[in-house]
Amino acid sequence: MKKRDVIIACDFPNAQATLEFLKRFEGRKPFVKIGMELFYGEGPDVVRQIKALGHDVFLDLKLHDIPNTVNKAMRNLARLGVNMTNVHAAGTIDMMRAAKEGLAEGAQGETPMLIAVTQLTSTSEQRMQQELLISASMEETVKRYAKNAQSAGLDGVVCSPLEAGLVKGACGAGFCAVTPGIRYPEGDMGDQSRVTTPQKAREIGADYIVVGRPVTKAEDPAEAYLRVCRDFIGE
Ligand code: C5P
């Protein structure tokens, strides 16, 4: 799998809408992200169908459970042939390590990339401290969780583009930063508040960007996708 790529967040209500959307990309097969809504609504077959079309798949299910359960679940996700999946770093280093082992055990070929969620961007520092009783700052927490993920053998973390530099500083350039929150200045922000452009994400050091509505809601999604690729990958 090539390093530095654009992942389209396929936030559609069902498999039919997703497959119709993917038909619009002739020739190039974008890397797609499938989230909980589609996976829980359609089941694992939607992943098999999209893989059969030749797309790489990031299955964004954010697992968080005891190590043994996560290990077994990851074996099954690896058998689906996903290329990338994720866990919550809050599940501890042991859980992340078990997840990674499960992926390696279930993989038919290359082991899927495993990345960790540090703190959800919907969690504010205030709520993290008051409700979760984490007294460190958000920055310190993200940094520590990223380092935990690295010591468990994970490939990287999901983080806001503005945190990518922090993660690279703490874990080194080889540790992947996968960043959503991508917008063009003229685009609709939707519900995102901390955003950056594909060019800026590249400068900051993001390895993969996750782009949803700027592509899925564009008049010409294939053209919008190619623009993001040109700006982020340079091709
Ligand atoms: O449409 P948009 O470009 O905002 O989509 C971004 C995608 O990345 C969505 O699937 C969203 O759930 C996901 N995401 C995010 N922020 C995070 C983690 C995931 O926007 N912190």
Side-chain angles (χ1 to χ4, degrees):
M1 196 189 313
K2 69 181 168 198
K3 190 101 186 276
R4 179 119 54 81
D5 206 350
V6 175
I7 303 177
I8 303 180
C10 284
D11 295 321
F12 295 106
N14 54 51
Q16 196 193 342
T18 310
L19 296 170
E20 281 299 318
F21 171 76
L22 292 176
K23 276 190 198 153
R24 306 181 70 153
F25 298 84
E26 280 168 18
R28 197 152 178 161
K29 298 278 181 186
F31 199 141
V32 304
K33 178 172 90 77
I34 298 175
M36 292 187 200
E37 182 186 4
L38 196 55
F39 189 81
Y40 293 143
E42 298 284 352
D45 253 356
V46 69
V47 175
R48 294 191 189 99
Q49 282 176 295
I50 294 174
K51 284 291 302 178
L53 293 173
H55 297 270
D56 281 342
V57 171
F58 167 22
L59 189 55
D60 179 17
L61 299 181
K62 302 184 180 71
L63 274 65
H64 186 174
D65 207 318
I66 59 171
N68 182 55
T69 302
V70 170
N71 174 276
K72 300 276 164 46
M74 283 296 181
R75 278 190 210 189
N76 286 340
L77 297 188
R79 285 190 190 115
L80 285 178
V82 301
N83 303 87
M84 182 188 289
T85 189
N86 57 3
V87 291
H88 272 282
T92 74
I93 295 175
D94 273 355
M95 186 206 77
M96 290 191 272
R97 204 174 276 137
K100 180 86 188 173
E101 287 166 6
L103 282 179
E105 286 153 12
Q108 315 288 323
E110 205 180 326
T111 303
M113 283 183 71
L114 181 61
I115 56 177
V117 176
T118 53
Q119 281 291 333
L120 293 169
T121 45
S122 52
T123 307
S124 67
E125 184 172 75
Q126 190 189 18
R127 284 188 188 273
M128 180 186 79
Q129 293 176 340
Q130 288 179 357
E131 294 179 22
L132 308 183
L133 300 183
I134 295 172
S135 53
S137 67
M138 181 60 81
E139 271 200 5
E140 279 308 310
T141 309
V142 167
K143 246 196 306 194
R144 177 59 190 268
Y145 282 24
K147 284 183 159 195
N148 288 353
Q150 188 174 37
S151 59
L154 269 60
D155 302 286
V157 291
V158 191
C159 59
S160 89
L162 309 170
E163 287 164 354
L166 184 79
V167 167
K168 295 279 180 177
C171 301
F175 193 63
C176 267
V178 180
T179 63
I182 302 298
R183 289 293 182 275
Y184 282 105
E186 74 277 12
D188 184 356
M189 297 271 281
D191 51 2
Q192 298 280 16
S193 54
R194 298 166 72 219
V195 300
T196 198
T197 62
Q199 293 97 325
K200 190 84 189 137
R202 177 185 177 156
E203 284 163 30
I204 292 167
D207 299 281
Y208 294 87
I209 52 174
V210 178
V211 187
R213 288 159 289 183
V215 171
T216 57
K217 302 274 189 232
E219 231 166 79
D220 183 343
E223 182 46 46
Y225 167 71
L226 289 177
R227 178 186 179 195
V228 177
C229 289
R230 277 194 301 274
D231 293 343
F232 183 65
I233 314 172
E235 62 184 48

